[in-house]
Amino acid sequence: MNKRELVDAIADRVGDKKTATEAVNAVLEAIQKAVAGGDKVSITGFGAFEMVHKPARTARNPSTGAPIKVAESWAPKFRPGADFKALVDEGGKKTAKKK
């Protein structure tokens, strides 16, 4: 599912595509701003978004084996909640039975 499909699914529930688009954009923007500002965003039953620090390290070029310095960075991280994990597990079991 991409963003357009998500908006369509929400529009089916709220009845208006414009309202659904604004709602999806508002939620995504709020999560992005909060995480970029260092806050943790927890949605009960769904999961948590947070910022993680990746310290500087030395890696290796796979072709030459030469060491490469990788600069430190910050990245977003998502941890699914227990309810979300259980739902995905159920879906995976149903999908595996079909094959």
Side-chain angles (χ1 to χ4, degrees):
M1 176 179 277
N2 60 30
K3 187 175 178 181
R4 184 180 317 130
E5 293 167 338
L6 177 62
V7 168
D8 290 341
I10 293 173
D12 290 343
R13 293 186 70 175
V14 298
D16 180 15
K17 192 167 183 173
K18 182 179 179 185
T19 304
T21 301
E22 290 174 5
V24 169
N25 287 338
V27 168
L28 295 176
E29 185 178 313
I31 291 171
Q32 289 171 342
K33 283 185 177 182
V35 173
D39 294 333
K40 180 178 179 180
V41 178
S42 296
I43 303 170
T44 304
F46 183 70
F49 298 88
E50 60 188 323
M51 182 190 316
V52 293
H53 178 249
K54 296 183 176 188
R57 62 187 175 89
T58 302
R60 295 222 173 256
N61 180 328
S63 301
T64 64
I68 300 170
K69 291 185 179 181
V70 178
E72 74 171 344
S73 64
W74 294 86
K77 177 182 176 182
F78 175 72
R79 280 191 340 230
D83 294 346
F84 188 29
K85 285 181 186 178
L87 187 63
V88 171
D89 186 46
E90 282 288 318
K93 289 176 183 175
K94 288 178 185 177
T95 304
K97 287 181 182 178
K98 289 181 183 178
K99 291 182 180 181

